[in-house]
Amino acid sequence: MTVDEIPEINVMGKLEVLIERFVGIGVFILGFFVKPLVMLALSLFYKGRKGKVPPISNDILLENATTLAAKIRKRKLKSVDVVQAYIDRIKKVNPLVNAVVGDRFHDALQQAAEVDTILDSGNIPERYSEERAPILGVPFTSKDAFAIKGFPNCSGVHARRNFHATKDAPVVTNLKDAGGIPLCVTNVSELCMWMESSNYAYGQTKNPYDTTRTVGGSSGGEGCLIAAGGSLFGIGSDIGGSIRMPAFFNGVFGHKPTSGIVENTGQFPNADPGLKQLYLTTGPICRFAADLLPMYQIMAGKNCDKLNLKKEVDVKKLKYFYMEDDNGCFLSSYVTDEVKDSMQKVVKYIENVLGAQVTKVKVEKMKYSLHIWSRLMGSTGGTTFCELLGNGTPINPFYELLLWFLRLSNHTFPAVGLGIMEKLTEDESEVVAMQKLCDELKREFHDMLGDDGIFLYPPHPYPAPHHNLPLFMPFNWGYTAIFNVLGLPVTQCPLGLGEEGVPLGIQVVGDSHQDHLTLAFARELESAFGGWVQPC
């Protein structure tokens, strides 16, 4: 077959197709020949080392945020007791999972005591009213990328490890104004751009269900701490799956909102104005589906008016569609039978219990997910990845790769690899074609879903892998990243534990500004399949 006969030639240039095919051969060799050997080596290495966090012994930690806020306001619980319960839990689990990179336990307890004093007085000011402070006295956490005054804010970059934020990000301000008490910040992947939350500033975060496995990235520390019972809900951000992959790997709920709803400013790295601001979204990660909607409303602030979040949803009357894989991207792994089986259980539930029809679809363009995301992300301009790695001074990724092999680099291998990819893909000749393909795909989803449709899709080809294994399957983030460039809302939902004791889950996708549909179906799935499961 000549290059002109390659089917992808109508959407990608000849040179790009040849490069992609060359990379594809490399990925095939890694996946088919090297990966089994690595998996065998890792299984032998981790044999007998598997650990998990201890069971929860304080019932306060099993209440959702809405219930806790109501009990605090009605004086059935003290805010101090709630905050202390979470502090105690963090101190118990963090030595095992390494999720927390900075805390304010003393200050949080002081704030909680002030809340209790005011509520006990009976003279409650307007700013503490139920309407203005719906989560009064309830603690929350955030990934390290978001600025919280006095907290670390380095996003895993070694050169910024001593940097502390001097003011709050807008989304943090919204949660504090609503009565929330910030408790700690959590670990991320270096510069929030990899599938493992590991860096040379704070080290590696471990999965609470199996400490030999990854927590995902970049909001991995957040997903981990919430799943471990050390946090109730937290702030995540997502430019290619950074909320949804950690939510999947850690068995909790995460919502990637419709683009442009929650303000993204006040985080590092901050998306430059333009397309990156649309691709980047900020949203909640929660242990309970009941908390998704109220936390999202608080985070969004006045932008809630752009959505129908208060609209009642009858899940029996929705239209349902699903795909079991990405339709054959040769750079991504095959979806495991276990992930497909969990999706089929959801399909059968919809058909047999809800009495609704589910249509299996084949959206051909989904196989270009990786190409669309990477090309459009690379075309947005602004601060380069290499500049961010160097904290303002661009690094030479090829030199850093040499240093890495000599164990002298301050950057992780995935970060260096992404820097090299940035250098090798600076040709923007295919951006127009990819933008056209993206626009066509967005119209296809709009026509399919409308204002009453749900699309079910795997969040990843397999459940949480062992640490470092993603290096041998580096392109599986296409399953989540495509929805960032499409701007669609997605709720990641847990579906219990798999054969190896790690979480399963599914992405629930709606059309633009139809977040209320995905959030409603998340509550339905929690009721049907149990939602979060204690990792004990």
Side-chain angles (χ1 to χ4, degrees):
M1 179 180 287
T2 67
V3 87
D4 291 310
E5 293 173 307
I6 296 175
E8 288 88 347
I9 203 70
N10 63 326
V11 291
M12 294 187 290
K14 294 181 181 181
L15 179 60
E16 184 185 40
V17 169
L18 289 176
I19 293 173
E20 296 273 346
R21 286 297 169 96
F22 179 76
V23 173
I25 292 171
V27 172
F28 174 79
I29 292 172
L30 283 174
F32 193 80
F33 295 105
V34 179
K35 178 185 137 186
L37 296 176
V38 172
M39 291 181 70
L40 177 61
L42 288 174
S43 64
L44 292 174
F45 176 78
Y46 286 125
K47 187 175 182 180
R49 302 189 183 195
K50 175 181 177 179
K52 59 178 67 177
V53 298
I56 292 173
S57 57
N58 191 330
D59 289 342
I60 288 177
L61 304 177
L62 300 176
E63 303 266 17
N64 65 48
T66 306
T67 302
L68 281 179
K71 287 187 175 181
I72 290 171
R73 190 173 293 278
K74 294 176 181 178
R75 311 313 292 136
K76 293 181 179 180
L77 274 177
K78 290 185 176 181
S79 176
V80 165
D81 294 334
V82 174
V83 171
Q84 187 64 60
Y86 276 98
I87 291 173
D88 292 343
R89 181 64 179 175
I90 290 171
K91 289 180 177 179
K92 183 175 289 187
V93 302
N94 198 57
L96 299 171
V97 296
N98 188 39
V100 176
V101 300
D103 69 72
R104 58 187 299 276
F105 293 160
H106 177 74
D107 291 343
L109 284 170
Q110 282 192 326
Q111 281 185 259
E114 291 172 7
V115 168
D116 288 331
T117 299
I118 290 174
L119 290 176
D120 285 338
S121 72
N123 185 21
I124 302 173
E126 178 61 23
R127 66 186 181 93
Y128 278 174
S129 67
E130 189 170 1
E131 182 179 354
R132 293 183 59 179
I135 53 171
L136 183 62
V138 179
F140 71 91
T141 54
S142 172
K143 68 189 292 187
D144 170 36
F146 286 91
I148 304 180
K149 187 176 181 180
F151 270 132
N153 183 218
C154 82
S155 285
V157 177
H158 188 268
R160 285 175 60 96
R161 64 193 183 280
N162 295 320
F163 179 83
H164 287 66
T166 56
K167 63 179 181 179
D168 295 330
V171 67
V172 174
T173 298
N174 287 350
L175 286 167
K176 290 171 72 173
D177 288 347
I181 299 175
L183 197 55
C184 64
V185 290
T186 52
N187 204 18
V188 297
S189 53
E190 188 173 9
L191 270 180
C192 297
M193 289 296 286
W194 183 238
M195 293 181 285
E196 285 218 64
S197 290
S198 179
N199 54 68
Y200 290 150
Y202 300 119
Q204 184 181 74
T205 301
K206 301 173 183 179
N207 196 293
Y209 295 86
D210 179 350
T211 54
T212 69
R213 296 175 184 266
T214 181
V215 295
S218 62
S219 309
E222 197 61 26
C224 167
L225 191 66
I226 292 169
S231 176
L232 184 54
F233 68 93
I235 307 171
S237 57
D238 191 316
I239 201 169
S242 289
I243 286 174
R244 289 159 290 154
M245 273 189 281
F248 173 44
F249 290 160
N250 294 282
V252 294
F253 292 90
H255 184 66
K256 184 207 88 65
T258 293
S259 295
I261 297 299
V262 181
E263 189 170 347
N264 289 317
T265 57
Q267 59 179 302
F268 177 83
N270 194 28
D272 296 298
L275 291 176
K276 278 186 183 175
Q277 272 286 3
L278 292 177
Y279 301 158
L280 177 67
T281 55
T282 297
I285 302 176
C286 305
R287 212 175 327 139
F288 303 106
D291 290 334
L292 285 171
L293 179 58
M295 297 313 118
Y296 182 30
Q297 287 176 313
I298 294 169
M299 289 181 177
K302 293 183 290 186
N303 281 340
C304 280
D305 295 341
K306 298 178 181 179
L307 305 172
N308 295 310
L309 295 180
K310 295 181 180 180
K311 185 177 180 180
E312 291 291 327
V313 177
D314 186 347
V315 294
K316 295 181 179 180
K317 295 181 179 179
L318 298 180
K319 299 179 299 186
Y320 295 93
F321 307 87
Y322 76 100
M323 283 179 65
E324 291 185 328
D325 56 40
D326 63 6
N327 201 40
C329 174
F330 62 91
L331 291 175
S332 58
S333 303
Y334 292 111
V335 178
T336 63
D337 289 340
E338 190 173 40
V339 172
K340 289 183 178 180
D341 289 345
S342 64
M343 175 176 283
Q344 283 301 319
K345 290 178 182 178
V346 175
V347 170
K348 290 178 181 178
Y349 175 82
I350 295 170
E351 292 176 335
N352 299 333
V353 178
L354 298 183
Q357 182 178 350
V358 189
T359 304
K360 186 176 183 179
V361 295
K362 189 176 183 180
V363 183
E364 293 282 351
K365 296 180 181 67
M366 290 296 279
K367 68 180 177 181
Y368 299 117
S369 295
L370 280 167
H371 310 96
I372 294 171
W373 185 90
S374 59
R375 279 304 185 197
L376 296 187
M377 276 290 294
S379 71
T380 55
T383 308
T384 67
F385 189 73
C386 289
E387 286 177 310
L388 290 170
L389 283 175
N391 199 25
T393 303
I395 68 161
N396 182 329
F398 301 100
Y399 178 63
E400 283 295 332
L401 181 62
L402 174 62
L403 292 179
W404 186 87
F405 279 113
L406 295 174
R407 303 181 69 84
L408 296 173
S409 176
N410 287 326
H411 302 289
T412 59
F413 181 77
V416 173
L418 286 169
I420 291 174
M421 284 183 63
E422 180 180 67
K423 292 293 184 183
L424 295 176
T425 58
E426 289 180 343
D427 180 9
E428 297 183 5
S429 60
E430 305 305 322
V431 172
V432 174
M434 288 299 114
Q435 184 62 64
K436 180 181 178 184
L437 200 62
C438 181
D439 293 340
E440 291 173 354
L441 186 56
K442 189 170 185 177
R443 282 195 296 271
E444 190 170 349
F445 270 103
H446 176 71
D447 293 341
M448 178 173 67
L449 299 178
D451 60 3
D452 62 349
I454 290 290
F455 177 66
L456 306 174
Y457 196 58
H460 208 72
Y462 43 79
H466 287 296
H467 296 298
N468 301 315
L469 192 56
L471 289 171
F472 297 89
M473 298 165 288
F475 298 110
N476 290 327
W477 38 263
Y479 277 86
T480 49
I482 186 60
F483 299 111
N484 292 85
V485 292
L486 294 176
L488 303 182
V490 187
T491 306
Q492 173 60 40
C493 303
L495 295 174
L497 304 183
E499 295 176 357
E500 296 183 322
V502 291
L504 298 170
I506 194 169
Q507 287 189 96
V508 179
V509 185
D511 195 21
S512 182
H513 293 84
Q514 304 302 320
D515 301 57
H516 62 295
L517 300 183
T518 69
L519 294 171
F521 193 62
R523 293 193 295 273
E524 183 68 27
L525 288 180
E526 182 182 51
S527 176
F529 295 94
W532 166 76
V533 179
Q534 272 207 58
C536 60

